[in-house]
């Protein structure tokens, strides 16, 4: 596997584990992290042996405490616009990745950290996780999707509360609000995330991609169009070998063997 300056990337069977690795800066997201995440996610997406990825933070304290404030403080204003700063996260990490990835949130997920967690297909949080969009306290606002993805995830009341006060919410509140899929004790976080990722990686890959695409469509389109698209994806999957195998395996009471065809 490639080596990175700000990430640790390991493959464990069919699961790629990407660890944000700037623990002294609470894994703050600078331009290098951004560029390396684009590369690491592209490598994951391209590797046919890999079925699911986990993104987590190194150390016990943080998933990521946000975009790197020290880097942004030095950056000329025009450069934010000229580089379309933060745009790659959506275009090159979120949109370019058709395989699923899970955020395993182990501590602070603030600002850009919360936003990266929300880019994942779902979040598994440790009991010690803390989520927030404190950008207002820096004189700015979320810049990597927080105002949009958080509002879609938890609704206006809590999104406004978090964005306007900058307060953090704990894992339990985040689960109640629908931001987080599961909360587990800190010591069990990576085991739980690995089990979920291994399960996903063990399932028919075309069906996995179609399920991900269909759920994401619910955020992008009308109900009517979304329902049509869901049916089309269903109809497309009926033409796959894996559908034949899946239904035969059920009838024959055995485990399916998937080809991704
Ligand atoms: N960027 C850079 N360095 C950071 C960041 C960060 N986001 N967060 C923490 N660090 C560094 C600290 O500076 C400190 O470094 P040093 O040891 O060199 O002083 C080290 O990490 C440890 O942090 P603390 O000593 O502060 O640890 P505490 O346990 O006291 O506090 C907190 C932990 C509460 C998480 C605290 O570090 C904190 O509040 N961090 C910042 C959180 C934040 O505001 N995040 C939002 C950042 S902005 C963003 O993500 C979106 C940007 C959109 C802007 C658009 C611009 C146009």
């Amino acid at each position: 596997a490639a080596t990175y300056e700000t990430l640790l990337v390991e493959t464990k069977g069919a699961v790629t584990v990407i660890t944000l690795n700037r623990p002294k800066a609470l894994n703050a997201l600078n331009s290098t992290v951004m560029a390396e995440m684009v590369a690491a996610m592209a490598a994951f997406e391209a590797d046919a042996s890999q079925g699911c990825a986990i993104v987590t933070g190194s150390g016990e304290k943080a998933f990521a405490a946000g975009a790197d404030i020290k880097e942004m403080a030095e950056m000329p204003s025009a450069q934010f616009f000229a580089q379309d700063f933060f745009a790659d996260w959506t275009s090159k990490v979120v949109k370019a990745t058709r395989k699923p990835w899970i955020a395993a949130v182990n501590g602070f997920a603030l600002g850009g950290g919360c936003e990266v967690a929300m880019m994942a297909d779902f979040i598994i949080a440790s009991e010690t996780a803390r989520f927030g969009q404190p950008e207002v306290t820096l004189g700015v606002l979320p810049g990597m999707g927080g105002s949009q993805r958080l509002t879609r995830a938890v609704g206006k009341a809590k999104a406004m509360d978090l964005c306007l006060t900058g307060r953090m919410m704990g894992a339990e509140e985040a689960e109640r609000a629908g931001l987080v899929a599961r909360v587990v004790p800190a010591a069990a976080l990576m085991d739980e995330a690995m089990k979920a990722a291994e399960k996903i990686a063990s399932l028919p890959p075309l069906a996995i991609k179609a399920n991900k695409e269909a759920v994401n469509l619910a955020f992008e389109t009308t109900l009517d169009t979304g329902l049509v698209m869901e049916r089309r994806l269903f109809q497309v999957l009926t033409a796959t070998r894996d559908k034949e195998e899946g239904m035969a395996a059920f009838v024959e009471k055995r485990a399916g063997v998937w080809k991704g065809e």
Side-chain angles (χ1 to χ4, degrees):
T3 54
Y4 299 94
E5 187 188 322
T6 62
L7 305 177
L8 289 172
V9 180
E10 303 155 272
T11 54
K12 299 180 177 181
V15 176
T16 301
V17 180
I18 300 174
T19 306
L20 303 166
N21 191 31
R22 301 183 68 212
K24 285 188 190 136
L26 302 185
N27 304 320
L29 309 161
N30 63 14
S31 305
T32 309
V33 176
M34 161 85 264
E36 292 188 342
M37 271 294 283
V38 169
M41 291 297 279
F44 157 67
E45 181 72 8
D47 184 342
S49 74
Q50 297 300 293
C52 188
I54 298 171
V55 175
T56 191
S58 69
E60 282 166 18
K61 228 174 133 179
F63 175 77
D68 191 313
I69 297 167
K70 291 166 188 167
E71 183 182 66
M72 286 188 296
E74 299 298 320
M75 211 163 125
S77 175
Q79 205 177 316
F80 284 94
F81 186 61
Q83 289 185 352
D84 203 4
F85 206 59
F86 301 135
D88 284 357
W89 282 102
T90 289
S91 60
K92 296 186 181 163
V93 175
V94 179
K95 292 199 173 165
T97 310
R98 293 174 73 203
K99 292 178 188 174
W101 57 290
I102 299 168
V105 174
N106 51 309
F108 292 115
L110 301 176
C114 185
E115 292 169 303
V116 167
M118 291 190 293
M119 290 175 199
D121 294 304
F122 61 95
I123 298 173
I124 299 180
S126 96
E127 284 166 352
T128 56
R130 316 256 288 151
F131 297 87
Q133 298 290 164
E135 287 89 342
V136 68
T137 66
L138 301 168
V140 288
L141 80 164
M144 290 157 54
S147 65
Q148 305 305 300
R149 290 197 181 97
L150 184 65
T151 308
R152 281 166 161 80
V154 305
K156 177 178 168 181
K158 244 182 229 299
M160 280 291 189
D161 178 1
L162 293 183
C163 289
L164 295 182
T165 68
R167 80 168 172 93
M168 297 182 207
M169 90 177 152
E172 244 178 61
E173 184 182 356
E175 188 185 27
R176 247 186 290 127
L179 180 63
V180 155
R182 311 181 193 179
V183 178
V184 296
L189 178 66
M190 285 315 285
D191 275 356
E192 184 83 3
M194 272 306 290
K195 269 189 229 148
E198 280 166 353
K199 178 73 193 183
I200 290 166
S202 77
L203 293 168
L206 299 177
I208 288 287
K209 282 198 176 100
N211 274 273
K212 169 169 170 161
E213 190 175 333
V215 173
N216 279 331
L217 267 169
F219 294 95
E220 302 289 350
T221 188
T222 62
L223 178 60
D224 216 34
T225 304
L227 292 171
V228 172
M229 291 297 297
E230 183 197 73
R231 286 202 304 279
R232 293 292 171 264
L233 285 166
F234 189 102
Q235 291 154 2
V236 165
L237 288 182
T238 62
T240 63
R241 281 177 203 275
D242 285 348
K243 171 264 176 188
E244 238 170 78
E245 166 67 4
M247 296 200 178
F250 176 83
V251 172
E252 292 159 21
K253 300 186 190 296
R254 58 174 178 83
V257 182
W258 316 118
K259 290 199 157 72
E261 296 171 11

